[in-house]
Amino acid sequence: MLVCQQIFALDAKFNAHRAPNHPNFRTLYIRRRNQLLRESAKNEESAFKRQYLRIRSQLLQQRYGTSFDQTSLHSRSISARSSSRVSESPDCVGGAGWGEGGIHDGGGGGTVPTAGKEGVVPTKEADASRAIVGGNSIAENYAFVGVHHIFDQHTGAVTMLKFANNDRSLLGCASMDGTLSVCNVGSTPPTLHCMFIGHTNAVTGFDWSVANDLVVSCSLDGTICLWNVAAKARLRSVPDPQGAQVLACLFHPTNNNIVIAGNSKGSVDLVNISTGIYQGRGSGGGGGSSRVEGRVLSLAVDASGHLLWAGTNKGTITSFVFVVSGGGAKLQRCRRVTLQEGCPVTCISWRAWISREARDPTLLVNCAANVVCLYRVLDQEGTLKLKRRFSVRHKSVRCPVRSTFCPLMSFREGACVVTGSEDSCVYFLDIEREVRPVVNKLQGHACPVLGVSFNYDESLLATSDLQGLVIVWSREKK
């Protein structure tokens, strides 16, 4: 299975050069290649397959004139003595061999504090919960090795993916090519539902409304756009009043008439998307309490809509509370934490519980300091306490690597998160493990993996990369 994933990664890389004027053919070709490799994977790996990988790599390089570092790919492979699905190497994510500037579990590194010894998920006594799911381990439950479908409709990097709320099929994709697409992965075969074309520069973020009938997006062109999914049309375009690039946006969870936006000038704003009016900001020094230092790259809000966190390119996360007064709403700045000074915070995800035994609200954070951090939310002002830190290849400021919580509550010991990585792999991390947290590693991409998203029942996982390829993975058939 491992060699087949390496062959698929090789094909995915060179597929961008194949039939450049016929994207439908490229999609059909890579889907067929995946089908053949899945059939081949049923047989035991052999020296023949490894020789095939070397020869095919040489032929593709000669044909398209593009190098592919097969040696470095093989050096990141899972040990042949371990499962083809489960990595047992403590250095397969991060590690001292990853160059200067990395942050590792065994050492310090910048201003990221050392996590406490207290366990995140107190599940040692959860016998009843584990009995519900039988003897399946975390690794077995997250063995996403089958490719459900591949999309390559975007010509630029796909930096963000989001499945629709409580939906198995609708998948949104935001791209640096200035477009936003919605795919139906539940149809047979999976299809492209629509392409939203209207931004004049890279799409930097988007969000689904609660009912999934609307999508809001933001862009480097300095606008926020509202789209109707059923009509496949743009309803409104709202320019940033400062003329700044809009880098992150979210619907307010309890009032989808309000959109939260963060821009390149450090403003975190509330926008009435129906009227296109930016609402007033709270009072405070430095031009208003909704301002932060640096570019606002990521946003997360809790389910009640009371707390908001904003991550910046300066390596900080600032919390805000929503203050309702006089019929309107304002943001009041509360707490700030520095992860690693000067290292962008590219993704923040909020979760009320990690598992049925861990009832603490939690933030999952990607920082371009080779690290994914797990924070516990301590109070109503959004104060954060570091609980876990995982080393993941993520250093380039041009790669907005993202992560996500696994959406289902865990009935078993342990709890998982999934993250992209600049080493072209997708990692499943058990946040309860002190050592060797990687329980699965997917090798289907040939360049940095940026976006990751589960559908609501965890039957499908979507991942995207710097070349614009989107892979939808399915669970391994038992």
PDB file of all heavy atoms in Angstrom, residues 72-108:
ATOM      1  N   SER A  72      13.896  11.628  -1.296  1.00  0.00           N
ATOM      2  CA  SER A  72      13.384  12.274  -0.089  1.00  0.00           C
ATOM      3  C   SER A  72      12.006  11.761   0.258  1.00  0.00           C
ATOM      4  O   SER A  72      11.641  11.681   1.423  1.00  0.00           O
ATOM      5  CB  SER A  72      13.333  13.795  -0.288  1.00  0.00           C
ATOM      6  OG  SER A  72      12.435  14.131  -1.325  1.00  0.00           O
ATOM      7  N   LEU A  73      11.218  11.405  -0.771  1.00  0.00           N
ATOM      8  CA  LEU A  73       9.897  10.828  -0.504  1.00  0.00           C
ATOM      9  C   LEU A  73      10.045   9.492   0.203  1.00  0.00           C
ATOM     10  O   LEU A  73       9.365   9.210   1.183  1.00  0.00           O
ATOM     11  CB  LEU A  73       9.127  10.646  -1.819  1.00  0.00           C
ATOM     12  CG  LEU A  73       7.784   9.929  -1.724  1.00  0.00           C
ATOM     13  CD1 LEU A  73       6.815  10.762  -0.901  1.00  0.00           C
ATOM     14  CD2 LEU A  73       7.210   9.658  -3.103  1.00  0.00           C
ATOM     15  N   HIS A  74      10.978   8.680  -0.278  1.00  0.00           N
ATOM     16  CA  HIS A  74      11.169   7.359   0.340  1.00  0.00           C
ATOM     17  C   HIS A  74      11.711   7.483   1.757  1.00  0.00           C
ATOM     18  O   HIS A  74      11.378   6.698   2.631  1.00  0.00           O
ATOM     19  CB  HIS A  74      12.113   6.534  -0.519  1.00  0.00           C
ATOM     20  CG  HIS A  74      12.333   5.143   0.015  1.00  0.00           C
ATOM     21  ND1 HIS A  74      11.356   4.176  -0.016  1.00  0.00           N
ATOM     22  CD2 HIS A  74      13.423   4.581   0.617  1.00  0.00           C
ATOM     23  CE1 HIS A  74      11.824   3.060   0.524  1.00  0.00           C
ATOM     24  NE2 HIS A  74      13.068   3.281   0.915  1.00  0.00           N
ATOM     25  N   SER A  75      12.538   8.514   1.976  1.00  0.00           N
ATOM     26  CA  SER A  75      13.109   8.672   3.314  1.00  0.00           C
ATOM     27  C   SER A  75      12.059   9.028   4.341  1.00  0.00           C
ATOM     28  O   SER A  75      12.274   8.855   5.537  1.00  0.00           O
ATOM     29  CB  SER A  75      14.186   9.762   3.295  1.00  0.00           C
ATOM     30  OG  SER A  75      13.604  11.027   3.063  1.00  0.00           O
ATOM     31  N   ARG A  76      10.898   9.548   3.884  1.00  0.00           N
ATOM     32  CA  ARG A  76       9.825   9.868   4.803  1.00  0.00           C
ATOM     33  C   ARG A  76       8.841   8.733   4.924  1.00  0.00           C
ATOM     34  O   ARG A  76       7.803   8.856   5.548  1.00  0.00           O
ATOM     35  CB  ARG A  76       9.083  11.129   4.328  1.00  0.00           C
ATOM     36  CG  ARG A  76       9.928  12.375   4.314  1.00  0.00           C
ATOM     37  CD  ARG A  76       9.052  13.605   4.154  1.00  0.00           C
ATOM     38  NE  ARG A  76       8.304  13.598   2.919  1.00  0.00           N
ATOM     39  CZ  ARG A  76       8.689  14.184   1.802  1.00  0.00           C
ATOM     40  NH1 ARG A  76       9.836  14.817   1.773  1.00  0.00           N
ATOM     41  NH2 ARG A  76       7.937  14.146   0.720  1.00  0.00           N
ATOM     42  N   SER A  77       9.168   7.603   4.308  1.00  0.00           N
ATOM     43  CA  SER A  77       8.226   6.486   4.304  1.00  0.00           C
ATOM     44  C   SER A  77       8.095   5.867   5.683  1.00  0.00           C
ATOM     45  O   SER A  77       8.966   5.963   6.527  1.00  0.00           O
ATOM     46  CB  SER A  77       8.708   5.404   3.322  1.00  0.00           C
ATOM     47  OG  SER A  77       8.796   5.913   2.030  1.00  0.00           O
ATOM     48  N   ILE A  78       7.012   5.161   5.875  1.00  0.00           N
ATOM     49  CA  ILE A  78       6.775   4.435   7.112  1.00  0.00           C
ATOM     50  C   ILE A  78       7.641   3.186   7.111  1.00  0.00           C
ATOM     51  O   ILE A  78       7.876   2.567   6.087  1.00  0.00           O
ATOM     52  CB  ILE A  78       5.293   4.063   7.211  1.00  0.00           C
ATOM     53  CG1 ILE A  78       4.444   5.332   7.050  1.00  0.00           C
ATOM     54  CG2 ILE A  78       4.971   3.365   8.497  1.00  0.00           C
ATOM     55  CD1 ILE A  78       2.984   5.050   6.877  1.00  0.00           C
ATOM     56  N   SER A  79       8.106   2.817   8.272  1.00  0.00           N
ATOM     57  CA  SER A  79       8.937   1.633   8.393  1.00  0.00           C
ATOM     58  C   SER A  79       8.227   0.402   7.852  1.00  0.00           C
ATOM     59  O   SER A  79       7.045   0.200   8.056  1.00  0.00           O
ATOM     60  CB  SER A  79       9.290   1.409   9.863  1.00  0.00           C
ATOM     61  OG  SER A  79       9.908   0.163  10.025  1.00  0.00           O
ATOM     62  N   ALA A  80       8.960  -0.429   7.118  1.00  0.00           N
ATOM     63  CA  ALA A  80       8.347  -1.618   6.533  1.00  0.00           C
ATOM     64  C   ALA A  80       7.878  -2.601   7.595  1.00  0.00           C
ATOM     65  O   ALA A  80       7.028  -3.452   7.345  1.00  0.00           O
ATOM     66  CB  ALA A  80       9.358  -2.318   5.616  1.00  0.00           C
ATOM     67  N   ARG A  81       8.414  -2.467   8.813  1.00  0.00           N
ATOM     68  CA  ARG A  81       8.005  -3.371   9.879  1.00  0.00           C
ATOM     69  C   ARG A  81       6.695  -2.953  10.515  1.00  0.00           C
ATOM     70  O   ARG A  81       6.095  -3.708  11.252  1.00  0.00           O
ATOM     71  CB  ARG A  81       9.098  -3.431  10.954  1.00  0.00           C
ATOM     72  CG  ARG A  81      10.390  -4.040  10.467  1.00  0.00           C
ATOM     73  CD  ARG A  81      11.326  -4.255  11.633  1.00  0.00           C
ATOM     74  NE  ARG A  81      11.670  -3.008  12.284  1.00  0.00           N
ATOM     75  CZ  ARG A  81      12.709  -2.260  11.909  1.00  0.00           C
ATOM     76  NH1 ARG A  81      13.465  -2.633  10.895  1.00  0.00           N
ATOM     77  NH2 ARG A  81      12.985  -1.152  12.544  1.00  0.00           N
ATOM     78  N   SER A  82       6.254  -1.711  10.257  1.00  0.00           N
ATOM     79  CA  SER A  82       5.003  -1.242  10.843  1.00  0.00           C
ATOM     80  C   SER A  82       3.889  -1.396   9.835  1.00  0.00           C
ATOM     81  O   SER A  82       4.085  -1.745   8.691  1.00  0.00           O
ATOM     82  CB  SER A  82       5.119   0.223  11.272  1.00  0.00           C
ATOM     83  OG  SER A  82       5.313   1.028  10.147  1.00  0.00           O
ATOM     84  N   SER A  83       2.659  -1.117  10.269  1.00  0.00           N
ATOM     85  CA  SER A  83       1.488  -1.197   9.395  1.00  0.00           C
ATOM     86  C   SER A  83       1.615  -0.210   8.257  1.00  0.00           C
ATOM     87  O   SER A  83       2.201   0.849   8.396  1.00  0.00           O
ATOM     88  CB  SER A  83       0.217  -0.893  10.196  1.00  0.00           C
ATOM     89  OG  SER A  83      -0.857  -0.627   9.340  1.00  0.00           O
ATOM     90  N   SER A  84       1.038  -0.562   7.096  1.00  0.00           N
ATOM     91  CA  SER A  84       1.058   0.354   5.967  1.00  0.00           C
ATOM     92  C   SER A  84       0.218   1.582   6.227  1.00  0.00           C
ATOM     93  O   SER A  84       0.330   2.573   5.532  1.00  0.00           O
ATOM     94  CB  SER A  84       0.541  -0.354   4.708  1.00  0.00           C
ATOM     95  OG  SER A  84      -0.808  -0.747   4.886  1.00  0.00           O
ATOM     96  N   ARG A  85      -0.643   1.532   7.242  1.00  0.00           N
ATOM     97  CA  ARG A  85      -1.504   2.669   7.556  1.00  0.00           C
ATOM     98  C   ARG A  85      -0.964   3.489   8.707  1.00  0.00           C
ATOM     99  O   ARG A  85      -1.264   4.652   8.842  1.00  0.00           O
ATOM    100  CB  ARG A  85      -2.912   2.192   7.944  1.00  0.00           C
ATOM    101  CG  ARG A  85      -3.594   1.387   6.892  1.00  0.00           C
ATOM    102  CD  ARG A  85      -5.044   1.186   7.277  1.00  0.00           C
ATOM    103  NE  ARG A  85      -5.213   0.672   8.625  1.00  0.00           N
ATOM    104  CZ  ARG A  85      -5.270  -0.612   8.915  1.00  0.00           C
ATOM    105  NH1 ARG A  85      -5.144  -1.504   7.968  1.00  0.00           N
ATOM    106  NH2 ARG A  85      -5.446  -1.012  10.165  1.00  0.00           N
ATOM    107  N   VAL A  86      -0.184   2.871   9.579  1.00  0.00           N
ATOM    108  CA  VAL A  86       0.174   3.521  10.833  1.00  0.00           C
ATOM    109  C   VAL A  86       1.661   3.786  10.883  1.00  0.00           C
ATOM    110  O   VAL A  86       2.464   2.889  10.692  1.00  0.00           O
ATOM    111  CB  VAL A  86      -0.238   2.654  12.038  1.00  0.00           C
ATOM    112  CG1 VAL A  86       0.082   3.366  13.334  1.00  0.00           C
ATOM    113  CG2 VAL A  86      -1.713   2.312  11.963  1.00  0.00           C
ATOM    114  N   SER A  87       2.028   5.040  11.141  1.00  0.00           N
ATOM    115  CA  SER A  87       3.433   5.378  11.288  1.00  0.00           C
ATOM    116  C   SER A  87       3.881   5.148  12.714  1.00  0.00           C
ATOM    117  O   SER A  87       3.251   5.598  13.650  1.00  0.00           O
ATOM    118  CB  SER A  87       3.666   6.847  10.911  1.00  0.00           C
ATOM    119  OG  SER A  87       4.971   7.217  11.240  1.00  0.00           O
ATOM    120  N   GLU A  88       4.983   4.432  12.883  1.00  0.00           N
ATOM    121  CA  GLU A  88       5.522   4.186  14.213  1.00  0.00           C
ATOM    122  C   GLU A  88       6.819   4.948  14.440  1.00  0.00           C
ATOM    123  O   GLU A  88       7.488   4.763  15.430  1.00  0.00           O
ATOM    124  CB  GLU A  88       5.789   2.680  14.395  1.00  0.00           C
ATOM    125  CG  GLU A  88       4.531   1.838  14.373  1.00  0.00           C
ATOM    126  CD  GLU A  88       3.617   2.136  15.539  1.00  0.00           C
ATOM    127  OE1 GLU A  88       4.111   2.663  16.557  1.00  0.00           O
ATOM    128  OE2 GLU A  88       2.421   1.849  15.439  1.00  0.00           O
ATOM    129  N   SER A  89       7.185   5.782  13.473  1.00  0.00           N
ATOM    130  CA  SER A  89       8.439   6.516  13.607  1.00  0.00           C
ATOM    131  C   SER A  89       8.226   7.812  14.369  1.00  0.00           C
ATOM    132  O   SER A  89       7.388   8.615  14.000  1.00  0.00           O
ATOM    133  CB  SER A  89       9.001   6.844  12.210  1.00  0.00           C
ATOM    134  OG  SER A  89      10.070   7.736  12.321  1.00  0.00           O
ATOM    135  N   PRO A  90       8.976   8.051  15.438  1.00  0.00           N
ATOM    136  CA  PRO A  90       8.797   9.291  16.192  1.00  0.00           C
ATOM    137  C   PRO A  90       9.253  10.508  15.421  1.00  0.00           C
ATOM    138  O   PRO A  90       8.952  11.626  15.803  1.00  0.00           O
ATOM    139  CB  PRO A  90       9.666   9.073  17.446  1.00  0.00           C
ATOM    140  CG  PRO A  90      10.702   8.087  17.023  1.00  0.00           C
ATOM    141  CD  PRO A  90      10.022   7.189  16.027  1.00  0.00           C
ATOM    142  N   ASP A  91       9.986  10.321  14.335  1.00  0.00           N
ATOM    143  CA  ASP A  91      10.496  11.445  13.575  1.00  0.00           C
ATOM    144  C   ASP A  91       9.741  11.677  12.286  1.00  0.00           C
ATOM    145  O   ASP A  91      10.132  12.507  11.477  1.00  0.00           O
ATOM    146  CB  ASP A  91      11.985  11.230  13.241  1.00  0.00           C
ATOM    147  CG  ASP A  91      12.840  11.213  14.490  1.00  0.00           C
ATOM    148  OD1 ASP A  91      12.510  11.935  15.442  1.00  0.00           O
ATOM    149  OD2 ASP A  91      13.825  10.472  14.491  1.00  0.00           O
ATOM    150  N   CYS A  92       8.638  10.964  12.078  1.00  0.00           N
ATOM    151  CA  CYS A  92       7.943  11.127  10.803  1.00  0.00           C
ATOM    152  C   CYS A  92       7.210  12.452  10.735  1.00  0.00           C
ATOM    153  O   CYS A  92       6.881  12.911   9.658  1.00  0.00           O
ATOM    154  CB  CYS A  92       6.973   9.972  10.559  1.00  0.00           C
ATOM    155  SG  CYS A  92       5.625   9.904  11.729  1.00  0.00           S
ATOM    156  N   VAL A  93       6.973  13.112  11.873  1.00  0.00           N
ATOM    157  CA  VAL A  93       6.473  14.477  11.876  1.00  0.00           C
ATOM    158  C   VAL A  93       7.441  15.309  12.686  1.00  0.00           C
ATOM    159  O   VAL A  93       7.684  15.043  13.841  1.00  0.00           O
ATOM    160  CB  VAL A  93       5.074  14.561  12.517  1.00  0.00           C
ATOM    161  CG1 VAL A  93       4.593  15.999  12.504  1.00  0.00           C
ATOM    162  CG2 VAL A  93       4.102  13.676  11.777  1.00  0.00           C
ATOM    163  N   GLY A  94       8.020  16.317  12.050  1.00  0.00           N
ATOM    164  CA  GLY A  94       8.985  17.144  12.775  1.00  0.00           C
ATOM    165  C   GLY A  94      10.262  16.386  13.009  1.00  0.00           C
ATOM    166  O   GLY A  94      10.726  15.621  12.189  1.00  0.00           O
ATOM    167  N   GLY A  95      10.860  16.590  14.150  1.00  0.00           N
ATOM    168  CA  GLY A  95      12.102  15.907  14.478  1.00  0.00           C
ATOM    169  C   GLY A  95      13.292  16.809  14.265  1.00  0.00           C
ATOM    170  O   GLY A  95      13.250  17.806  13.561  1.00  0.00           O
ATOM    171  N   ALA A  96      14.415  16.427  14.855  1.00  0.00           N
ATOM    172  CA  ALA A  96      15.588  17.285  14.809  1.00  0.00           C
ATOM    173  C   ALA A  96      16.148  17.419  13.416  1.00  0.00           C
ATOM    174  O   ALA A  96      16.865  18.356  13.129  1.00  0.00           O
ATOM    175  CB  ALA A  96      16.655  16.732  15.755  1.00  0.00           C
ATOM    176  N   GLY A  97      15.816  16.476  12.531  1.00  0.00           N
ATOM    177  CA  GLY A  97      16.358  16.529  11.181  1.00  0.00           C
ATOM    178  C   GLY A  97      15.655  17.493  10.265  1.00  0.00           C
ATOM    179  O   GLY A  97      15.941  17.548   9.082  1.00  0.00           O
ATOM    180  N   TRP A  98      14.730  18.273  10.805  1.00  0.00           N
ATOM    181  CA  TRP A  98      13.941  19.149   9.953  1.00  0.00           C
ATOM    182  C   TRP A  98      14.509  20.547   9.838  1.00  0.00           C
ATOM    183  O   TRP A  98      13.844  21.455   9.378  1.00  0.00           O
ATOM    184  CB  TRP A  98      12.513  19.215  10.489  1.00  0.00           C
ATOM    185  CG  TRP A  98      11.726  18.062  10.010  1.00  0.00           C
ATOM    186  CD1 TRP A  98      12.217  16.873   9.551  1.00  0.00           C
ATOM    187  CD2 TRP A  98      10.325  17.952   9.921  1.00  0.00           C
ATOM    188  NE1 TRP A  98      11.205  16.042   9.196  1.00  0.00           N
ATOM    189  CE2 TRP A  98      10.036  16.676   9.415  1.00  0.00           C
ATOM    190  CE3 TRP A  98       9.281  18.803  10.236  1.00  0.00           C
ATOM    191  CZ2 TRP A  98       8.743  16.244   9.195  1.00  0.00           C
ATOM    192  CZ3 TRP A  98       7.995  18.366  10.024  1.00  0.00           C
ATOM    193  CH2 TRP A  98       7.733  17.103   9.502  1.00  0.00           C
ATOM    194  N   GLY A  99      15.690  20.759  10.265  1.00  0.00           N
ATOM    195  CA  GLY A  99      16.333  22.046  10.044  1.00  0.00           C
ATOM    196  C   GLY A  99      16.128  23.011  11.201  1.00  0.00           C
ATOM    197  O   GLY A  99      15.439  22.744  12.165  1.00  0.00           O
ATOM    198  N   GLU A 100      16.715  24.169  11.078  1.00  0.00           N
ATOM    199  CA  GLU A 100      16.685  25.157  12.129  1.00  0.00           C
ATOM    200  C   GLU A 100      15.314  25.809  12.211  1.00  0.00           C
ATOM    201  O   GLU A 100      14.604  25.922  11.230  1.00  0.00           O
ATOM    202  CB  GLU A 100      17.756  26.226  11.871  1.00  0.00           C
ATOM    203  CG  GLU A 100      19.168  25.663  11.855  1.00  0.00           C
ATOM    204  CD  GLU A 100      20.185  26.718  11.549  1.00  0.00           C
ATOM    205  OE1 GLU A 100      19.793  27.869  11.295  1.00  0.00           O
ATOM    206  OE2 GLU A 100      21.375  26.384  11.563  1.00  0.00           O
ATOM    207  N   GLY A 101      14.986  26.281  13.386  1.00  0.00           N
ATOM    208  CA  GLY A 101      13.746  27.013  13.567  1.00  0.00           C
ATOM    209  C   GLY A 101      12.572  26.158  13.963  1.00  0.00           C
ATOM    210  O   GLY A 101      11.518  26.671  14.272  1.00  0.00           O
ATOM    211  N   GLY A 102      12.707  24.829  13.926  1.00  0.00           N
ATOM    212  CA  GLY A 102      11.599  23.959  14.278  1.00  0.00           C
ATOM    213  C   GLY A 102      11.381  23.926  15.777  1.00  0.00           C
ATOM    214  O   GLY A 102      12.272  24.158  16.570  1.00  0.00           O
ATOM    215  N   ILE A 103      10.139  23.618  16.158  1.00  0.00           N
ATOM    216  CA  ILE A 103       9.798  23.459  17.562  1.00  0.00           C
ATOM    217  C   ILE A 103       9.440  22.019  17.785  1.00  0.00           C
ATOM    218  O   ILE A 103       8.609  21.474  17.079  1.00  0.00           O
ATOM    219  CB  ILE A 103       8.624  24.376  17.949  1.00  0.00           C
ATOM    220  CG1 ILE A 103       9.021  25.840  17.737  1.00  0.00           C
ATOM    221  CG2 ILE A 103       8.200  24.159  19.374  1.00  0.00           C
ATOM    222  CD1 ILE A 103       7.914  26.809  18.002  1.00  0.00           C
ATOM    223  N   HIS A 104      10.012  21.401  18.763  1.00  0.00           N
ATOM    224  CA  HIS A 104       9.827  19.969  18.956  1.00  0.00           C
ATOM    225  C   HIS A 104       9.311  19.700  20.357  1.00  0.00           C
ATOM    226  O   HIS A 104       9.510  20.484  21.284  1.00  0.00           O
ATOM    227  CB  HIS A 104      11.148  19.234  18.715  1.00  0.00           C
ATOM    228  CG  HIS A 104      11.826  19.680  17.457  1.00  0.00           C
ATOM    229  ND1 HIS A 104      11.303  19.431  16.214  1.00  0.00           N
ATOM    230  CD2 HIS A 104      12.954  20.415  17.261  1.00  0.00           C
ATOM    231  CE1 HIS A 104      12.118  19.955  15.293  1.00  0.00           C
ATOM    232  NE2 HIS A 104      13.100  20.560  15.904  1.00  0.00           N
ATOM    233  N   ASP A 105       8.677  18.556  20.509  1.00  0.00           N
ATOM    234  CA  ASP A 105       8.078  18.223  21.787  1.00  0.00           C
ATOM    235  C   ASP A 105       9.104  18.127  22.905  1.00  0.00           C
ATOM    236  O   ASP A 105       8.793  18.312  24.065  1.00  0.00           O
ATOM    237  CB  ASP A 105       7.327  16.878  21.694  1.00  0.00           C
ATOM    238  CG  ASP A 105       6.076  17.015  20.865  1.00  0.00           C
ATOM    239  OD1 ASP A 105       5.589  18.148  20.761  1.00  0.00           O
ATOM    240  OD2 ASP A 105       5.604  16.000  20.337  1.00  0.00           O
ATOM    241  N   GLY A 106      10.336  17.812  22.547  1.00  0.00           N
ATOM    242  CA  GLY A 106      11.313  17.605  23.598  1.00  0.00           C
ATOM    243  C   GLY A 106      12.066  18.842  24.012  1.00  0.00           C
ATOM    244  O   GLY A 106      12.895  18.798  24.892  1.00  0.00           O
ATOM    245  N   GLY A 107      11.805  19.979  23.351  1.00  0.00           N
ATOM    246  CA  GLY A 107      12.584  21.160  23.673  1.00  0.00           C
ATOM    247  C   GLY A 107      11.764  22.404  23.719  1.00  0.00           C
ATOM    248  O   GLY A 107      10.561  22.397  23.569  1.00  0.00           O
ATOM    249  N   GLY A 108      12.459  23.531  23.904  1.00  0.00           N
ATOM    250  CA  GLY A 108      11.788  24.816  23.986  1.00  0.00           C
ATOM    251  C   GLY A 108      11.488  25.348  22.624  1.00  0.00           C
ATOM    252  O   GLY A 108      10.883  24.701  21.812  1.00  0.00           O
TER     253      GLY A 108
END
